[in-house]
Amino acid sequence: MSLETNPRPLLPPQLVQTSPIVTMRDVGRRYGEVVALRHVDVTVYPGEVLGIVGESGSGKSTLLRMMNLEDAPDTGDYRLRLPGRDDGNLFALERYQQRMLRARHIGIVYQNPHLGLLMKHSSSGNVAERLLIAGERSFDVLRSKAREALDASEFPLSRMDHRPADLSGGMQQRVQLAKAIALEPALLLLDEPTTGLDVSIQALVLDTLKRLQRERRITMVLVSHDLGVIRTMADRVMVMRRGSVVEQGLADQVFQDPQHAYTQQLVHAKL
Amino acid sequence: MQILDTPPLLRVTGLTKTFHMHHLDSVLHAFEGIDFALTAGEFILLRGANGAGKSTLLRTLWRSYLPVGGHIWYQSRLGEIDLARAADIDIALLRREEIGFVTQFLNARPRVAAEEIVAEPLRLAGRAGNEALEEARHWLNQFGVRPELWRAYPSTFSGGEQQKVNLARALVLPQRLLLLDEPTASLDAGARQALVRRLSDLKAAGVAMIGVFHYPGDVAELIDREISLTTRTLPQNSGQDDTRDEFNDERERYVAV
């Protein structure tokens, strides 16, 4: 079997009646000669955690940035099902519409906190900024909502006025997380959220994510090259290689009975 | 206790599982052309030597292994579905609401109390918080987990205690189909009795079960039928090279870890 073929197309559900929250079709992107994404389809159902794995350069982070409307593809269609709205293909919206949609309905945690945080503002200010963009103006409400989001992210409230620049990497990730969930987003995107943290801190952050997922049923898309992280978190897994999806399935199936030669290599390398 | 005009809950036809190991460029045969039916309230014991594919069959029904041929027709509350071909999201739904897999291993999650782990399936099924917790405690008690451990985190428990939590969780919500992969292994006598009692009650309530037991004597009173995998399995090269099959089985177990 060639490494480029997908042996098993995603089947339409028969029993589940809920529509997907995310539907991406035929997303393609080239950077010059390099094909970053090739005919990628993504479907995410409400409340599930979709894990995306793949080596560096597989296109997984590019795909996540497309989901966050930070980058536009050459081809493709992207629908986000939000109550009471129909925005059509999100890729076709104006930039300012995309920005508003992103600020209000999509949360993201980056591997690099510098991408997600203003390092010289207070931690609570970083969270409040997100709420301000969404139109919240009352100082008391801003403060209490920021406090609540930081608390839910298990950030020590005694330090909520400290600047992220003065915090450890693990704490910075908690501030990013608080900012991402402050508006109860329809979709939470996690781009290598624990890469670069020490193992014990990594476990604590994953633990917080798990708890949030369990208690709030937040729909998450998690990108990581770390199979352990994906295995802990994901309900379903998509495996990417050279811009294409080579395999997807239930997390336990992908890890226990990988079908594609590349996934087998990946899983065996981990064991 | 088969009722003739009820369609079986599970109807397996021609079920075949192979593992394609790309790096060896070889295909390992686990089992081929398995046929059987299981009705509500029926208990099937899977028999076979080590490596005959008993656990592989259970995992294929559960879909952590993907079948390569055949059908697994299952009468869900929402309609008939072929588990061999069902969408992942449908399988996830059935695992939550209708089909349970009971193993000897607990997937302990950090910082979740034993009683919460057991209560979670009830909550997901819509039971109120307190009620779910009460019932969870009832089952922890039944399986012999001491009350002082109910609010502790099972990641620190001994293997036996973890297994009791695992069983309580797996059996707290009456499913329609239970796949049992050696659930009695390494349980103490009290917990084993509690397990058999629970299985017996579930069976009486119409839950269908198929399982592997290291000591089938533990569940002798529950068994309606047995399926022996060694006699049902028809490897492609059967009859000409038995050692080769044993070799394959060894490899299969290696892959299945």
Side-chain angles (χ1 to χ4, degrees), chain A residues 109 112-114 117 119 155 163-178:
Chain A
V109 175
N112 180 350
H114 285 266
L117 298 176
M119 286 293 164
F155 181 88
R163 303 176 313 161
D166 302 331
L167 300 171
S168 67
M171 285 300 149
Q172 291 175 347
Q173 292 311 68
R174 293 188 188 279
V175 179
Q176 278 207 79
L177 183 59

Side-chain angles (χ1 to χ4, degrees), chain A:
Chain A
M1 189 190 303
S2 142
L3 281 180
E4 307 304 331
T5 54
N6 184 347
R8 196 170 147 265
L10 193 66
L11 300 160
Q14 249 176 281
L15 305 179
V16 169
Q17 300 298 319
T18 329
S19 326
I21 196 155
V22 172
T23 315
M24 283 181 131
R25 289 291 169 262
D26 198 29
V27 177
R29 180 72 160 104
R30 268 171 183 281
Y31 297 100
E33 289 297 292
V34 181
V35 180
L37 294 172
R38 190 196 319 253
H39 305 302
V40 173
D41 291 345
V42 185
T43 308
V44 189
Y45 287 87
E48 71 169 345
V49 180
L50 175 70
I52 306 182
V53 284
E55 62 205 357
S56 310
S58 60
K60 56 191 195 304
S61 290
T62 307
L63 182 62
L64 204 74
R65 280 204 300 280
M66 305 261 174
M67 282 189 197
N68 198 38
L69 297 166
E70 286 172 56
D71 195 356
D74 302 323
T75 62
D77 187 285
Y78 175 18
R79 316 266 161 166
L80 190 60
R81 185 167 64 83
L82 298 168
R85 294 180 65 119
D86 181 10
D87 300 286
N89 178 8
L90 303 189
F91 291 140
L93 297 178
E94 299 291 336
R95 292 298 294 164
Y96 79 95
Q97 292 175 302
Q98 292 183 341
R99 247 191 335 265
M100 282 315 293
L101 203 86
R102 179 165 73 224
R104 182 66 194 82
H105 299 289
I106 305 175
I108 189 162
V109 175
Y110 298 96
Q111 176 185 352
N112 180 350
H114 285 266
L115 286 175
L117 298 176
L118 298 162
M119 286 293 164
K120 293 184 175 170
H121 288 57
S122 68
S123 297
S124 53
N126 267 279
V127 181
E129 185 226 358
R130 183 34 96 88
L131 299 161
L132 273 167
I133 292 173
E136 186 52 62
R137 288 293 177 267
S138 145
F139 178 80
D140 287 345
V141 174
L142 285 172
R143 181 95 182 151
S144 75
K145 281 196 172 173
R147 172 186 275 273
E148 191 193 315
L150 284 164
D151 195 31
S153 307
E154 295 171 22
F155 181 88
L157 294 179
S158 59
R159 302 175 73 183
M160 67 188 271
D161 295 321
H162 291 212
R163 303 176 313 161
D166 302 331
L167 300 171
S168 67
M171 285 300 149
Q172 291 175 347
Q173 292 311 68
R174 293 188 188 279
V175 179
Q176 278 207 79
L177 183 59
K179 183 177 168 179
I181 62 166
L183 287 167
E184 295 176 7
L187 178 63
L188 177 60
L189 306 173
L190 304 156
D191 189 5
E192 305 270 8
T194 58
T195 307
L197 301 177
D198 350 329
V199 179
S200 59
I201 306 295
Q202 174 172 345
L204 291 175
V205 173
L206 288 177
D207 206 8
T208 305
L209 284 171
K210 267 252 143 215
R211 189 181 50 76
L212 280 171
Q213 213 280 328
R214 201 170 56 239
E215 290 171 4
R216 305 190 178 193
R217 297 269 133 210
I218 305 177
T219 309
M220 299 184 186
V221 178
L222 166 67
V223 160
S224 183
H225 71 277
D226 185 332
L227 296 186
V229 169
I230 296 286
R231 188 175 231 162
T232 315
M233 292 291 303
D235 300 310
R236 285 193 304 123
V237 172
M238 229 169 85
V239 184
M240 294 191 69
R241 184 167 190 267
R242 296 182 186 163
S244 301
V245 178
V246 294
E247 175 161 358
Q248 56 187 315
L250 291 162
D252 56 330
Q253 180 257 298
V254 171
F255 285 110
Q256 293 179 30
D257 186 20
Q259 303 293 301
H260 194 275
Y262 174 66
T263 318
Q264 290 189 358
Q265 264 174 32
L266 208 64
V267 170
H268 292 313
K270 174 73 184 176
L271 294 173

Side-chain angles (χ1 to χ4, degrees), chain B residues 84-232:
Chain B
R85 285 165 184 74
D88 296 325
I89 194 80
D90 282 338
I91 297 288
L93 171 82
L94 291 172
R95 286 178 178 186
R96 220 165 36 239
E97 298 186 355
E98 300 194 18
I99 305 177
F101 191 91
V102 187
T103 66
Q104 48 181 308
F105 305 108
L106 173 73
N107 183 13
R109 281 169 305 172
R111 287 197 311 160
V112 184
E115 59 186 22
E116 287 296 334
I117 288 181
V118 179
E120 190 179 53
L122 295 167
R123 293 211 170 124
L124 284 175
R127 211 74 72 79
N130 276 344
E131 199 188 315
L133 215 51
E134 279 303 306
E135 195 164 343
R137 289 173 184 150
H138 168 76
W139 287 109
L140 285 169
N141 194 34
Q142 289 287 307
F143 282 109
V145 180
R146 298 191 309 278
E148 59 266 32
L149 294 178
W150 295 351
R151 300 182 68 180
Y153 305 142
S155 39
T156 58
F157 290 8
S158 73
E161 298 296 314
Q162 285 196 358
Q163 194 184 341
K164 292 175 191 172
V165 176
N166 190 34
L167 291 174
R169 177 188 161 91
L171 299 173
V172 70
L173 195 69
Q175 307 275 20
R176 305 178 74 220
L177 170 63
L178 277 180
L179 311 169
L180 306 161
D181 193 2
E182 305 225 15
T184 52
S186 76
L187 275 187
D188 57 41
R192 200 157 56 230
Q193 274 170 18
L195 172 68
V196 174
R197 261 200 315 276
R198 178 62 174 156
L199 292 180
S200 165
D201 289 349
L202 290 172
K203 182 178 188 303
V207 178
M209 303 180 203
I210 176 165
V212 183
F213 289 82
H214 197 66
Y215 298 107
D218 291 344
V219 289
E221 64 205 82
L222 303 179
I223 301 168
D224 294 307
R225 272 191 305 142
E226 296 186 4
I227 292 178
S228 174
L229 273 188
T230 42
T231 57
R232 311 268 319 185

